[in-house]
Amino acid sequence: FFFKQKTAYEIASGDWSSDVCSSDLFPSHDRLLEGIGTWVSSLNKCEYCFTHHSRGLKRELKDDIKFEQLIAAILKADFSNTFLSEKEKSAFLYAKDLTEFPPKSTSADIQKMREEGFSDEEILEINQVTAYFSYVNRTVIGLGCSLEKSDENE
């Protein structure tokens, strides 16, 4: 699994939200991975990451109606009435289980994803994006990062 890297200056001065979810293995899955990152950030109640990655998701979708529909589904935790394929829904369900209660993720979940058409490499990538976002969400929350500009930086 490969992440695109940016310098600290680029991260601080630019909008880097979708770089984490850029897949060198499966470039066509950037939309799915950005959606999973946004979903995991929502599950972890990380407003900072949710906001930034929502922007990346909007760019990846290139469709305001689909974006609004997916954000509503993420906030309601219900993907049943979305444009997502059953394959994509299985990835979102796997990410939810892995985020909220890792022991709930079983080999049966992996098998379901295989049956939906994911390769083992794609499953690994979904796993790593989910785990990475859980880590980053906890780091951001734990350090008190917020969307508001800090007074101490002025």
Side-chain angles (χ1 to χ4, degrees), residues 44-148:
N44 286 323
K45 298 179 180 20
C46 183
E47 181 183 4
Y48 183 89
C49 294
F50 175 80
T51 300
H52 285 283
H53 287 279
S54 292
R55 293 176 189 156
L57 179 59
K58 187 173 187 174
R59 272 193 311 277
E60 289 297 329
L61 286 172
K62 299 175 179 76
D63 182 320
D64 289 345
I65 294 170
K66 285 184 177 180
F67 170 73
E68 293 298 329
Q69 183 187 71
L70 189 52
I71 291 298
I74 286 171
L75 294 174
K76 291 178 186 172
D78 179 5
F79 297 96
S80 59
N81 295 315
T82 65
F83 62 89
L84 295 175
S85 68
E86 291 305 312
K87 178 180 179 178
E88 291 169 321
K89 289 176 187 177
S90 73
F92 276 80
L93 180 59
Y94 173 75
K96 179 181 191 290
D97 290 348
L98 187 59
T99 300
E100 292 186 334
F101 190 65
K104 190 174 178 184
S105 297
T106 65
S107 58
D109 296 318
I110 301 298
Q111 187 56 39
K112 179 170 176 27
M113 291 174 68
R114 285 182 183 134
E115 289 168 5
E116 291 292 346
F118 284 110
S119 68
D120 285 350
E121 292 83 5
E122 292 169 312
I123 294 168
L124 176 62
E125 191 167 44
I126 291 164
N127 173 280
Q128 290 183 330
V129 166
T130 301
Y132 176 76
F133 270 86
S134 290
Y135 163 77
V136 170
N137 295 160
R138 284 157 177 77
T139 301
V140 167
I141 292 167
L143 292 174
C145 297
S146 71
L147 296 170
E148 289 86 37

Side-chain angles (χ1 to χ4, degrees), residues 21-38:
C21 296
S22 295
S23 171
D24 290 335
L25 294 176
F26 309 101
S28 64
H29 290 192
D30 289 356
R31 175 190 83 166
L32 174 64
L33 298 177
E34 195 67 57
I36 288 172
T38 304

